[in-house]
Amino acid sequence: MVGCSGLAQTLSPDVKQFVKVDAPVIALEHVRVIDGTGAAAIEDQTVVISNGKVKSVSSAAEATIPKDAKVLDLHGYTVIPGLVGMHDHMFYPMGNGVYGEMAYSFPRLYLAAGVTTIRTTGSLEPYTDLEIKHKIDNGESPGPKIHPAGPYLEAKAVGCCRRTSSQARMTVRKP
C-alpha cells in the first residue's frame, strides 16, 4: 500500500504497518497501467500521485516528475484503479441462523484484495459498521472507504432480521 502523508489525517501505528511508502508526492515509474475502461494495458508508464490523488499518467520517457516526489522504480508491476465493492457485508453466515461479525478482519481483507471502496448491503450491526467507517476515515484503522447501509428491515426473514412493523418504525427513527 502506498500512502500520501499530505492527506488531512494522521495514520495510527495500526494503519502505518500496512503502508510501505508514505510521502506527499509519489511517482510510480515503469509500470503497466490498466485503466479499467476495457482498453488494452499500457506499458512503461509513470503515475504521479500527489496528496492521495492521481495527478498524471504518462509514458515513462515523457513523464514530468516533481522534484520532491518519492520515486519508485516498479518494472514488472501493474497499476489498476481501486476496486469498488457494491454488495459487501461485515459478517458471514456460519450456519443454523448464526452470523459471524467480522468488523476487524473484513475491512483489512477487502483492502488487501484491492477493494478501496465498499457499499454495505444491509447490516446486522449497523452501529459497528458506522464505528468501523469512523476509524478508517480518521486513519485509526486500515480499510476501504465505506458507504454503510442501515439494518435489515424484513418482515419475513431468517430469525436474525425479522422485525414487526412497530420494531421497524423504531429502528428507522433511531438516531
Side-chain angles (χ1 to χ4, degrees), residues 4-27:
C4 288
S5 60
L7 298 175
Q9 65 186 22
T10 302
L11 302 178
S12 73
D14 191 35
V15 175
K16 282 186 179 185
Q17 70 179 324
F18 294 98
V19 177
K20 184 174 182 178
V21 177
D22 187 13
V25 182
I26 301 169

Side-chain angles (χ1 to χ4, degrees), residues 34-37 79-88 109-119 143-147:
I34 297 174
D35 67 11
T37 66
V79 174
I80 65 171
L83 303 174
V84 178
M86 295 303 294
H87 185 127
D88 298 291
L109 292 170
Y110 287 131
L111 198 57
V115 178
T116 59
T117 303
I118 66 168
R119 169 70 177 155
K145 180 174 183 62
I146 298 177
H147 297 278

Side-chain angles (χ1 to χ4, degrees), residues 37 99 127 130 145 162:
T37 66
Y99 294 84
Y127 288 103
L130 288 170
K145 180 174 183 62
R162 179 173 280 148

Side-chain angles (χ1 to χ4, degrees), residues 136-160:
I136 291 168
D137 290 350
N138 289 326
E140 299 169 23
S141 184
K145 180 174 183 62
I146 298 177
H147 297 278
Y152 290 103
L153 297 174
E154 300 178 358
K156 295 180 180 177
V158 187
C160 72

Side-chain angles (χ1 to χ4, degrees), residues 42-58:
I42 305 170
E43 300 292 334
D44 201 26
Q45 298 292 294
T46 294
V47 178
V48 176
I49 303 166
S50 178
N51 296 321
K53 304 281 185 193
V54 173
K55 292 299 177 189
S56 66
V57 178
S58 56

